[in-house]
Amino acid sequence: MFETRKDAIAAVAARPALKSGDAIPFDLETYASDVFGIDCMRERLPKGVFQKLYKTITEKSPLDPTIADDVANAMKRWAIEKGATHFTHWFQPLTGSTAEKHDSFVEPDSDGKAITVFSGKNLIVSEPDASSFPSGGLRATFEARGYTAWDPTSPAFIKHHPNGATLCIPTAFCSYTGEALDRKTPLLKSINVIKKSVSRLMRCFGEDGNAIVTVTLGAEQEYFLIDRQFYLARPDLVQAGRTLFGAAPPKHQQLDDHYFGTIQPRILSFMGDVEHALWRLGIPAKTRHNEAAPAQYELAPLFEDLNLACDHNMLVMDVLKQKAAEHGFVCLLHEKPFAGVNGSGKHVNWSVNYGDLNLLNPGSDPHQNAIFLTTLCAVIQAVDKHADLLRATTASAGNDHRLGAAEAPPAIISIFLGEQLTDVIEQIEKGNLKSSKHAGLMKIGVDTLPPLPRDATDRNRTSPFAFTGNKFEFRAPGASQACAGANVILNTIVAEAMDDISAQLEKAGRDNFNEKLQKVLQSVIKKHKRVIFNGDNYTEDWRKEAEKRGLPNLVSTPEALDAFLWEKNELLMEKYGVFTKQELRSRHDVFVEEYSRKIKIEGELSLNLARTLFLPAVSKQLGTLAESINHMKSVGLKSGLNTVISMAERIGKLADSIEACAVRLEKNLTSGKPDKILEEMHKMRVNVDALEKLVDDDLWPLPKYREMLFIL
Ligand code: ADP
Ligand code: MG
């Protein structure tokens, strides 16, 4: 058997089985102990300083710069007690991961003795050279200056490594001229936008509009874990994060025996370590389970304030990778690491609150119900008007393999409401809201809606955007994507729809409010109900139906990203000050560029593997077969001869097809057209996967799916 593959299996087999033993108790005191949070601040900051900072954090009021030195000093002391020697401004450039450049606290004083230094200025702003981050033309490299600015609403935290620790300060990242170069800046802007719109809408309902508005996010994270030995023997995983070749094994997920199955001890021990690390970071990891595909798992935290939850999800991805390495695994966050089995998504659960009131909670009294239905209608209008933008936020080379692959929602964005809510919506449309399907009689008027049962919605796993009881769940984002992208758009488009509704309500005045509200909602539903779809999103019928309804179906990444350039979207983003036209364009360019670079890397890798691994394996195999054929002929052995000849022929033909693909792929790589590269890669893969099923198992150079997905 091929050396590395044999060695990989042997190494995994040699791992001693884990015995269940005494649990390591989790000390509740250590929850959030790696975070410079509110408690820590209260304890360590002068009272006046704490009060000012607390106001900034809870009310998101502007930061008073005069307190920076005091905060920095307290933070430094705390971090040093935790073993930190360095600090970093931690930010989210447009690369898909986080960035950090460390500076030590340690400096010599004038006598050459070491002291520790960390000033208010160090805390508030930094100027990393940062010229190599994607900016989509917003900065030329010679004017490299980029600035990171402290975001006090997301607490600083400690990252541990084997012999030390680093203080990480969440920051926003922008250019010298103030353009956003990251994911956090537009997110914070969009949160401010929706806050204003919610306050305005609530004033229409007779509220004072002064309660604190929060957007909440619960990000479910799917991932694969495979043994590191297999990973190291798969150059495609190492370089592209996904397998570019690999025949489906006879058994994969057909029996549904992995989903929610008993979690293996080795996996559980990994999960336990992940959770302990997350809890120390104050990240409320809550749910863990096996997912549908073999070797696939999910982690879901409790929902939190959106900005914090976005930062936390970036950390979740980091911790998953780090702990996987400690346990001899590799965590794959690619959207489709293995063809033929489910890919990994990130379900973005989103809601918005006014004070304690979740606006997406069907309430127990008529007033709350009216607010709920209005918010619901605002979301319907928003998603229908800007489905293209939402789709664009999920576009990536990896997610293209997942969306619409009969396991994940298609690229057509529609809303699932469930039977009962759809019924209510239909009745508002008709203007005679009388009864709810399951909840008995209702009198006319939104103010007489009966309590809607909280969990009246059924589940529809095929829908990209589903109402799930007290929140919407956007299921199209990919496992590796930052949450911020989708949420920036969601906040802004819902804000716009709310403003639209508010404007009509303000004009109508307070007399006969409920009747007028009904009329407004009725017209929203009439205009936008085409986006509601409760059926099976995987079917061809839905694709046709959606086309009839005029819903966009932007299948590939380049098509989907075009939405960033459309005038309607530029106008929207400029109106709300979330993105300038230039920023939108720059994002478009960054993502398109990233897409074509990734495809090119995959293309080159495919070519390389074909010529240096698969074709040489074929040549060895054909050599052996030819020898056998000669031998059989020389001794006059007739039976079996034709079988061996036809084996050689089948393998030889596939080899010829692979080489033909390689020649075309090579050409396409020079022209650089992603769709052409993908097409040839796909053809090549079909041939290689067929070959895998014919070539002597001992000669096959790469770990097979049945090994990577099942041996641990
Ligand atoms: P499922 O797998 O059925 O979708 P999970 O329990 O795995 O459900 O995940 C649901 C996610 O939604 C959790 O992260 C949960 O905290 C989050 N969530 C619940 N309520 C809200 C809310 N009001 N706003 C945002 N997210 C929420
Ligand atoms: Mg879910």
Side-chain angles (χ1 to χ4, degrees):
M1 193 186 277
F2 195 81
E3 278 313 302
T4 44
R5 197 174 137 220
K6 188 167 68 179
D7 291 348
I9 298 174
V12 182
R15 273 181 178 277
L18 291 177
K19 286 190 210 143
S20 44
D22 295 330
I24 303 167
F26 181 73
D27 179 2
L28 288 181
E29 294 288 306
T30 62
Y31 189 85
S33 60
D34 283 341
V35 176
F36 193 70
I38 300 285
D39 275 355
C40 212
M41 293 173 191
R42 188 181 284 117
E43 193 186 305
R44 289 166 176 263
L45 290 173
K47 203 167 175 195
V49 174
F50 171 74
Q51 278 165 349
K52 280 184 185 166
L53 187 57
Y54 186 72
K55 205 165 141 68
T56 296
I57 295 169
T58 52
E59 294 172 27
K60 316 270 189 287
S61 59
L63 178 80
D64 174 353
T66 61
I67 65 171
D69 277 328
D70 283 329
V71 179
N73 196 31
M75 216 186 253
K76 179 189 80 179
R77 282 206 204 154
W78 170 80
I80 290 174
E81 283 168 30
K82 296 263 159 205
T85 50
H86 288 69
F87 67 93
T88 182
H89 276 201
W90 181 81
F91 59 103
Q92 298 169 35
L94 297 176
T95 54
S97 42
T98 54
E100 46 192 69
K101 172 188 167 206
H102 299 191
D103 279 304
S104 77
F105 291 123
V106 180
E107 279 181 24
D109 68 3
S110 51
D111 299 335
K113 277 199 190 129
I115 51 165
T116 58
V117 177
F118 183 60
S119 66
K121 188 173 168 288
N122 292 152
L123 168 65
I124 287 188
V125 63
S126 167
E127 191 200 313
D129 168 17
S131 52
S132 290
F133 288 114
S135 77
L138 280 182
R139 286 181 313 164
T141 26
F142 62 84
E143 43 189 29
R145 272 199 276 189
Y147 288 88
T148 49
W150 179 34
D151 168 18
T153 61
S154 180
F157 57 91
I158 300 281
K159 256 195 192 181
H160 296 276
H161 56 268
N163 61 355
T166 306
L167 169 68
C168 299
I169 300 151
T171 54
F173 177 47
C174 58
S175 74
Y176 181 60
T177 42
E179 277 121 348
L181 298 172
D182 70 343
R183 298 184 186 274
K184 190 187 269 283
T185 309
L187 182 73
L188 293 173
K189 287 180 180 168
S190 75
I191 292 172
N192 280 337
V193 163
I194 193 168
K195 273 180 173 173
K196 279 196 201 119
S197 303
V198 168
S199 299
R200 178 176 173 192
L201 182 66
M202 293 309 283
R203 279 194 291 273
C204 296
F205 282 91
E207 303 281 333
D208 64 10
N210 293 332
I212 292 175
V213 176
T214 46
V215 186
T216 48
L217 164 68
E220 300 164 58
Q221 178 72 52
E222 293 177 339
Y223 60 95
F224 279 84
L225 276 185
I226 63 163
D227 195 280
R228 194 173 129 82
Q229 300 287 340
F230 293 131
Y231 174 84
L232 293 177
R234 293 277 322 203
D236 46 0
L237 281 180
V238 172
Q239 288 261 291
R242 74 173 178 109
T243 54
L244 299 173
F245 302 96
K251 175 188 187 289
H252 43 92
Q253 64 182 60
Q254 310 93 320
L255 304 180
D256 293 323
D257 51 353
H258 191 254
Y259 188 60
F260 284 12
T262 305
I263 308 174
Q264 293 274 359
R266 193 175 158 209
I267 301 291
L268 260 182
S269 122
F270 154 83
M271 288 175 165
D273 265 7
V274 167
E275 286 151 349
H276 280 233
L278 293 180
W279 290 337
R280 281 170 60 154
L281 285 164
I283 300 174
K286 177 81 178 166
T287 308
R288 61 189 188 196
H289 62 81
N290 288 359
E291 255 302 330
Q296 193 188 25
Y297 309 92
E298 180 180 304
L299 180 154
L302 279 180
F303 67 93
E304 297 179 280
D305 173 77
L306 174 58
N307 177 36
L308 188 62
C310 284
D311 282 357
H312 280 174
N313 179 254
M314 299 308 286
L315 284 173
V316 164
M317 294 194 282
D318 242 24
V319 170
L320 283 172
K321 284 189 200 149
Q322 187 195 331
K323 293 294 165 192
E326 289 174 22
H327 285 254
F329 289 120
V330 171
C331 175
L332 304 173
L333 293 173
H334 192 282
E335 283 74 18
K336 193 80 175 182
F338 302 99
V341 298
N342 279 19
S344 298
K346 176 149 12 202
H347 295 175
V348 163
N349 293 274
W350 178 96
S351 188
V352 59
N353 307 267
Y354 175 78
D356 293 336
L357 180 69
N358 176 355
L359 301 190
L360 285 174
N361 207 352
S364 46
D365 66 80
H367 179 65
Q368 199 179 325
N369 269 341
I371 293 170
F372 162 70
L373 286 174
T374 307
T375 310
L376 191 76
C377 286
V379 174
I380 292 169
Q381 170 170 329
V383 174
D384 183 40
K385 266 185 90 174
H386 301 294
D388 53 308
L389 267 180
L390 274 179
R391 164 68 184 107
T393 66
T394 69
S396 76
N399 218 16
D400 274 6
H401 297 288
R402 172 180 164 261
L403 290 182
E407 73 199 38
I412 308 162
I413 305 286
S414 66
I415 297 182
F416 170 82
L417 288 182
E419 201 187 346
Q420 190 193 351
L421 262 189
T422 305
D423 183 47
V424 171
I425 291 292
E426 276 167 3
Q427 291 188 51
I428 298 178
E429 188 199 353
K430 285 186 206 124
N432 61 343
L433 188 57
K434 279 209 182 81
S435 68
S436 160
K437 241 180 191 160
H438 303 293
L441 272 179
M442 273 194 253
K443 286 186 211 136
I444 296 176
V446 178
D447 57 341
T448 53
L449 261 181
L452 294 172
R454 219 170 237 267
D455 243 336
T457 53
D458 20 350
R459 297 268 151 163
N460 180 337
R461 301 193 0 133
T462 71
S463 174
F465 202 89
F467 181 73
T468 50
N470 63 347
K471 61 188 187 296
F472 273 99
E473 181 177 355
F474 187 29
R475 301 193 180 110
S480 71
Q481 292 183 311
C483 296
N487 281 287
V488 168
I489 299 302
L490 256 177
N491 292 343
T492 314
I493 65 179
V494 173
E496 182 202 39
M498 283 180 166
D499 280 353
D500 192 27
I501 292 172
S502 296
Q504 296 175 58
L505 293 176
E506 285 158 3
K507 211 163 134 206
R510 293 288 303 164
D511 297 341
N512 295 330
F513 178 75
N514 285 321
E515 258 169 54
K516 286 170 183 161
L517 176 65
Q518 276 238 50
K519 286 240 163 63
V520 171
L521 299 189
Q522 185 181 31
S523 83
V524 170
I525 294 165
K526 278 208 166 109
K527 250 196 235 157
H528 300 289
K529 66 174 175 186
R530 63 171 188 166
V531 78
I532 300 168
F533 179 63
N534 292 323
D536 183 349
N537 284 251
Y538 294 166
T539 60
E540 180 56 22
D541 282 354
W542 167 235
R543 206 191 50 72
K544 285 188 194 138
E545 165 71 18
E547 198 180 329
K548 252 192 246 153
R549 294 191 193 182
L551 300 179
N553 182 12
L554 305 164
V555 177
S556 74
T557 288
E559 271 178 282
L561 288 175
D562 271 352
F564 286 135
L565 305 178
W566 294 349
E567 199 186 1
K568 111 178 146 63
N569 297 331
E570 284 175 356
L571 289 175
L572 168 74
M573 291 300 163
E574 293 218 303
K575 175 177 168 199
Y576 282 100
V578 174
F579 288 118
T580 62
K581 196 168 150 179
Q582 289 76 9
E583 285 173 328
L584 271 179
R585 278 180 183 261
S586 82
R587 261 157 228 252
H588 169 269
D589 294 355
V590 168
F591 299 144
V592 168
E593 182 85 337
E594 178 192 83
Y595 172 79
S596 46
R597 283 181 186 170
K598 279 195 175 157
I599 303 291
K600 193 145 188 263
I601 290 171
E602 290 188 349
E604 279 176 13
L605 207 52
S606 296
L607 183 64
N608 190 288
L609 298 187
R611 291 217 166 125
T612 64
L613 288 177
F614 305 126
L615 291 179
V618 169
S619 138
K620 263 191 218 157
Q621 170 90 80
L622 286 178
T624 326
L625 290 174
E627 244 173 63
S628 306
I629 292 165
N630 272 341
H631 217 95
M632 288 165 100
K633 279 185 180 162
S634 71
V635 298
L637 192 62
K638 291 220 173 83
S639 33
L641 182 62
N642 284 343
T643 306
V644 179
I645 291 176
S646 79
M647 270 169 76
E649 250 158 19
R650 271 192 286 170
I651 290 174
K653 271 190 193 139
L654 284 172
D656 288 345
S657 306
I658 292 169
E659 177 52 23
C661 289
V663 169
R664 287 194 301 265
L665 182 55
E666 206 165 19
K667 225 188 254 156
N668 290 333
L669 278 166
T670 358
S671 80
K673 286 206 178 104
D675 50 337
K676 292 278 167 221
I677 297 174
L678 279 169
E679 198 184 308
E680 276 327 313
M681 275 170 60
H682 177 71
K683 284 187 198 151
M684 182 188 268
R685 177 177 189 148
V686 170
N687 287 303
V688 171
D689 291 357
L691 196 64
E692 185 187 319
K693 292 182 173 172
L694 293 177
V695 167
D696 182 349
D697 191 55
D698 277 356
L699 292 176
W700 196 251
L702 296 181
K704 296 185 172 180
Y705 274 28
R706 64 163 190 254
E707 294 154 359
M708 288 184 285
L709 293 173
F710 290 95
I711 300 180
L712 77 159

